[in-house]
Amino acid sequence: MSTLHRHRRSLSIALAATTALSLAACGSDGGEEAGSSDTIVVSTFPFGVEEFTEAVVDPFTEATGITVELDTGSNADRLSRLKLEGEDSGIDVMLISDTYAGIADEEELFQEVTAEDVPALGDIADFAIDEAYSGPAYSYQLNGVLYNTDELTAEEAASWELYADPAHSGRVALPDIAVTAGQLTVSGVAATYGSGPYDVDTAFTTMAQWAPNVLQFYSSTTEFTNLLTQGEVIGGVALNGFATDLIAAGEPIAWTPPAEGRFMATNRAMVPVGAPNEDGAHQFIDYLLSVEAQQSSAELVGDLPVNLAVELPEELTAVVGDVAADPTGAGYATLDPIEIVPNRTEWVERFAREVVGG
């Protein structure tokens, strides 16, 4: 992923060596391994590691003296490892998307992160602290519409009726439900045309009616952005991060929130049960949520900050405007993992059968 994109999770796992300073051995006579209590392992995404290290890891180590080792991989692979190894995983902090955090919480793989442990919880947006999760959100992604400005107005792009209009048949794209934008899209359609965000019966029926007009139900947003830049489609649903580089490059492309059914995904900072260095983990999350780290992450990684005191860089405001100043005030909401997690497998199967295959 480029520094400002939010690409689908890679399925390969790579280990990124820590760039932090090594600490000298303690002077006690206990024979403790050098620096063992002053090191944490952070499990994170496989993209943007260099930028994340510069924005968060190095400054954290400089401020606290705690060395950080990054263990990278996809959401699915890292969750599978945590399930397999449990309290022996050696992971102190796991940065993971909300759906997978919800799955792990259901299996009680994470421990509660409290304001007593992490004072910065008092400084972040309300939506970032959700009792459905044991750890806070540290960034988020807005679902919306990426479109060709030569072909559509913002008002046309924002309407879900874009996908029902036969005039645009074969020129629009939608995400598969299995990708992050996919569930947000299904819930957006459900909230707009049905009884609420979990009325998938109405959503699937509606989207099945749109299917003949949809060129592709994409499983990788890169597939969609390629179709858009090549002129094969004029618009489709995508997370805000995928618009950043395209707009900065001067492409005739913009991103807009949907007129109705606005939902967002979060990335969360979690502490596994049995974390070897709980204190270091809490210090890391506290720093991750600070204005300093959130500002650097916005500028270098392209993350939308949950600490709303951060001044967004121009590259991000060029995409989302003032929505990020108060996303809930702009009509965005998060989805409840208690509703999503138990039904996810069934919904993925139904979407493939009733929408894509229908």
Side-chain angles (χ1 to χ4, degrees):
M1 167 179 177
S2 65
T3 57
L4 293 175
H5 273 179
R6 311 302 311 171
H7 282 200
R8 265 305 277 166
R9 313 304 187 222
S10 164
L11 292 180
S12 61
I13 295 182
L15 289 179
T18 179
T19 58
L21 298 176
S22 297
L23 299 181
C26 297
S28 66
D29 57 4
E32 185 177 48
E33 181 181 347
S36 61
S37 64
D38 293 319
T39 299
I40 61 170
V41 175
V42 175
S43 174
T44 188
F45 305 107
F47 47 77
V49 171
E50 189 175 325
E51 293 77 20
F52 181 71
T53 298
E54 181 181 353
V56 178
V57 173
D58 286 347
F60 169 75
T61 297
E62 184 176 353
T64 64
I66 298 175
T67 298
V68 178
E69 297 177 0
L70 297 180
D71 179 13
T72 67
S74 70
N75 280 310
D77 286 342
R78 292 185 292 122
L79 178 56
S80 294
R81 173 184 162 188
L82 187 61
K83 287 182 178 180
L84 179 65
E85 299 180 357
E87 296 187 22
D88 297 323
S89 71
I91 295 168
D92 297 295
V93 178
M94 182 170 282
L95 306 181
I96 193 167
S97 66
D98 51 12
T99 297
Y100 290 87
I103 293 171
D105 269 333
E106 189 176 57
E107 299 187 25
E108 300 183 343
L109 297 177
F110 294 129
Q111 57 182 286
E112 197 74 24
V113 175
T114 68
E116 181 178 358
D117 300 322
V118 178
L121 291 181
D123 301 326
I124 61 178
D126 289 343
F127 72 80
I129 305 173
D130 188 333
E131 63 182 14
Y133 299 97
S134 57
Y138 68 93
S139 69
Y140 64 96
Q141 304 166 76
L142 302 169
N143 204 38
V145 182
L146 197 56
Y147 65 99
N148 186 315
T149 56
D150 292 336
E151 301 281 351
L152 296 170
T153 65
E155 184 178 2
E156 290 171 329
S159 173
W160 291 108
E161 289 300 304
L162 173 69
Y163 309 98
D165 190 345
H168 302 310
S169 180
R171 304 191 69 201
V172 292
L174 288 169
D176 186 89
I177 192 175
V179 303
T180 300
Q183 180 62 63
L184 300 177
T185 299
V186 168
S187 290
V189 175
T192 301
Y193 296 94
S195 60
Y198 312 110
D199 181 4
V200 299
D201 292 337
T202 298
F204 290 165
T205 299
T206 303
M207 297 178 77
Q209 294 170 350
W210 297 346
N213 293 339
V214 178
L215 178 64
Q216 185 171 344
F217 287 96
Y218 65 82
S219 57
S220 166
T221 309
T222 303
E223 299 171 9
F224 165 50
T225 56
N226 286 340
L227 292 173
L228 186 63
T229 55
Q230 292 164 9
E232 295 185 51
V233 297
I234 60 175
V237 176
L239 301 174
N240 65 279
F242 287 94
T244 310
D245 285 354
L246 296 176
I247 292 174
E251 296 280 355
I253 288 172
W255 179 93
T256 188
E260 301 176 80
R262 298 179 177 185
F263 293 97
M264 57 181 166
T266 59
N267 292 325
R268 312 194 78 86
M270 316 292 280
V271 178
V273 172
N277 189 348
E278 288 184 21
D279 180 64
H282 293 147
Q283 289 188 59
F284 182 83
I285 295 174
D286 196 61
Y287 182 79
L288 181 64
L289 300 177
S290 69
V291 171
E292 179 183 1
Q294 293 268 295
Q295 185 76 55
S296 295
S297 292
E299 294 172 355
L300 298 175
V301 184
D303 282 344
L304 289 176
V306 297
N307 191 318
L308 301 184
V310 169
E311 182 176 347
L312 283 184
E314 184 177 345
E315 290 86 353
L316 296 184
T317 57
V319 177
V320 302
D322 59 2
V323 172
D326 183 7
T328 54
Y332 273 92
T334 55
L335 295 175
D336 187 348
I338 295 175
E339 297 284 350
I340 300 296
V341 171
N343 295 304
R344 179 172 170 77
T345 299
E346 178 191 350
W347 289 355
V348 168
E349 293 173 352
R350 285 188 58 190
F351 188 89
R353 183 174 64 251
E354 299 175 25
V355 179
V356 179

